[in-house]
Amino acid sequence: MAEAASVPAESLAGCRARAARTVLDQVVLPGEELLLPEQEDGEGPGGAGERPLRLNAAARSRGRVVCGPGLRRCGDRLLVTKCGRLRHKEPGSGSGGGVYWVDSQQKRYVPVKGDHVIGIVTAKSGDIFKVDVGGSEPASLSYLAFEGATKRNRPNVQVGDLIYGQFVVANKDMEPEMVCIDSCGRANGMGVIGQDGLLFKVTLGLIRKLLAPDCEILQEVGKLYPMEIVFGMNGRIWVKAKTIQQTLILANILEACEHMTTDQRKQIFSRLAES
């Protein structure tokens, strides 16, 4: 019975394979296999000059393909693991390949190496701080992972402090590890976030939208009030303005802008500017 049931499953997997170029910016579902056009080989199992994406040495010579969030390499295939819109970014050299990822409205954060996040210190165990980053388990932060920190000159970090840092270790088999220095040993804006201010949480999709180079929301918000703002890839935003009222206004605008149209957002900004 098990062997008989496996045949239809394989045939269904083959039916779900779709050409990536035809579904860009469209919704893809978990389990789908992506097909990419082959520029040099016009024949393949996908037909019409397409075949399943091959991630071997021969494929890399034609153009390197980078798998982002929502995609997984399974042998020489590329499978979708999240429901969302398929995105693609062309490489700077224009030699083919590029970056593919799935843009999904995910609320729970999964640590990724290199991400800059905002964490909350929850405990201190010896020389290690435990930091809540919104994932399935807390991240570890050594007291030596700060600029200028030594055994004698320890950083002033207390339980409850907000930490802005980046991941140097993040995978499913190990505890996430954070640092507050870059590769040159400089803080570069990372470390303990100052007192006051307001910390709130938004969706991961909104964070990526706000951090985009061509984001108009931040340009418009920056014209309202002088402020300090920190974005974490784990969906946390810390903002501080001159007064508590201005801080609350900025936080409410950033939370609501995800579901507002451009015209609605401009009307709100114009009213606030007049007041």
Side-chain angles (χ1 to χ4, degrees):
M1 294 294 292
E3 295 180 357
S6 63
V7 176
E10 293 179 358
S11 62
L12 287 175
C15 295
R16 285 198 300 266
R18 295 192 291 174
R21 63 183 179 182
T22 63
V23 295
L24 287 178
D25 298 328
Q26 297 183 15
V27 176
V28 291
L29 300 177
E32 292 190 21
E33 180 179 352
L34 297 183
L35 301 173
L36 298 182
E38 287 290 340
Q39 300 177 353
E40 299 181 3
D41 188 0
E43 298 179 359
E50 295 173 348
R51 68 179 187 180
L53 173 63
R54 302 300 177 186
L55 301 173
N56 52 20
R60 286 195 297 267
S61 63
R62 300 189 185 108
R64 181 182 179 186
V65 176
V66 179
C67 303
L71 301 174
R72 176 180 297 176
R73 298 185 181 186
C74 184
D76 57 356
R77 299 182 299 166
L78 186 62
L79 300 179
V80 180
T81 60
K82 291 181 182 179
C83 178
R85 295 182 182 272
L86 180 65
R87 307 291 189 184
H88 177 240
K89 181 179 180 181
E90 294 287 347
S93 60
S95 58
V99 182
Y100 287 86
W101 75 95
V102 177
D103 189 5
S104 60
Q105 293 295 330
Q106 180 179 340
K107 292 185 177 180
R108 184 175 183 180
Y109 176 70
V110 179
V112 178
K113 182 179 179 181
D115 275 3
H116 288 75
V117 297
I118 299 176
I120 305 173
V121 180
T122 58
K124 180 180 179 181
S125 176
D127 298 333
I128 301 296
F129 299 102
K130 295 296 183 180
V131 183
D132 174 25
V133 293
S136 59
E137 60 179 336
S140 62
L141 174 65
S142 173
Y143 76 94
L144 293 175
F146 292 84
E147 182 179 2
T150 61
K151 291 184 178 181
R152 293 185 177 181
N153 183 25
R154 297 192 175 213
N156 184 19
V157 180
Q158 305 297 330
V159 174
D161 286 348
L162 299 181
I163 298 291
Y164 180 64
Q166 65 175 340
F167 286 112
V168 292
V169 176
N171 57 61
K172 62 180 181 180
D173 300 319
M174 297 180 63
E175 180 185 38
E177 182 179 346
M178 289 178 59
V179 296
C180 293
I181 52 177
D182 56 15
S183 58
C184 299
R186 299 291 184 179
N188 198 16
M190 293 179 286
V192 179
I193 299 177
Q195 300 295 327
D196 302 327
L198 177 64
L199 178 70
F200 59 98
K201 186 174 178 59
V202 298
T203 62
L204 303 183
L206 178 58
I207 287 291
R208 291 192 292 267
K209 181 179 180 180
L210 293 174
L211 292 178
D214 55 348
C215 180
E216 298 179 354
I217 300 175
L218 285 184
Q219 299 177 4
E220 296 171 350
V221 169
K223 297 177 182 178
L224 291 177
Y225 311 115
M227 63 176 179
E228 299 177 28
I229 190 167
V230 180
F231 295 99
M233 291 300 296
N234 55 342
R236 292 174 178 171
I237 300 177
W238 179 86
V239 63
K240 178 183 178 182
K242 285 186 176 181
T243 64
I244 297 178
Q245 181 182 6
Q246 293 178 359
T247 301
L248 293 175
I249 291 175
L250 293 174
N252 290 331
I253 290 177
L254 292 174
E255 285 182 331
C257 67
E258 183 178 13
H259 307 290
M260 289 191 301
T261 62
T262 304
D263 295 335
Q264 292 174 341
R265 192 174 67 248
K266 289 183 178 180
Q267 290 179 2
I268 293 177
F269 285 137
S270 61
R271 292 176 183 176
L272 291 174
E274 292 174 358
S275 60

